[in-house]
Amino acid sequence: MMRKLFLLFTIVPIVVLLTGCGGGGGGGVSKPPAPENFVADRVWVKNGTNLTQKVTLSWELVDGAQLYKVYIQVEGQTAPTFLKEISSSEVPYTYNLPSDLYVLDIDFLVSAVVNGVEGELARASAPAPPPPSPF
């Protein structure tokens, strides 16, 4: 009887450890990492008498990403708003700010989507650039 208990309490746990039947894992898909080196470059664009702003968003591509989700969060908003899905070939992406958007601080967020799973968000600030020269 003692020998059977000894085998039960020593051999069975070793077999479970070796065969990986101890739980965990499950083969689920993990979240992709946030894109690295995310930059938002906001500048004025002068075209005759028209004055607008654009923001060029760039980042390092994430291995295996089929697309990226871009979000915008302007000062006063408590959460970002979805802006657009773009492909890797569209990076860097240029966003023309609406002419009626007058805010000092804008944050952009981007995430990679790999096999249908959206990854972690990267954030880049785009503060208002100095006003352009009137000349």
Side-chain angles (χ1 to χ4, degrees):
M1 178 72 173
M2 288 295 281
R3 183 178 166 126
K4 286 183 182 178
L5 286 175
F6 174 77
L7 288 175
L8 180 67
F9 288 111
T10 57
I11 303 293
V12 172
I14 291 171
V15 171
V16 169
L17 286 173
L18 292 176
T19 60
C21 296
V29 179
S30 62
K31 277 187 159 190
E36 293 185 5
N37 298 318
F38 182 33
V39 176
D41 184 30
R42 184 174 168 187
V43 296
W44 287 101
V45 178
K46 200 171 184 181
N47 186 5
T49 58
N50 291 337
L51 191 60
T52 59
Q53 293 181 50
K54 70 177 182 177
V55 182
T56 302
L57 305 173
S58 62
W59 59 87
E60 290 182 26
L61 301 180
V62 173
D63 287 341
Q66 288 83 28
L67 58 95
Y68 296 88
K69 291 188 176 187
V70 179
Y71 300 85
I72 186 171
Q73 185 172 358
V74 298
E75 61 183 85
Q77 283 184 323
T78 57
T81 302
F82 175 75
L83 189 60
K84 182 176 176 119
E85 285 184 354
I86 64 169
S87 68
S88 297
S89 64
E90 295 176 277
V91 178
Y93 171 70
T94 300
Y95 175 66
N96 294 308
L97 292 175
S99 58
D100 62 345
L101 181 63
Y102 302 106
V103 294
L104 293 177
D105 296 317
I106 301 174
D107 284 346
F108 288 89
L109 299 92
V110 66
S111 64
V113 177
V114 176
N115 297 326
V117 177
E118 184 174 2
E120 301 295 327
L121 290 167
R123 180 181 295 262
S125 293
S133 169
F135 303 103

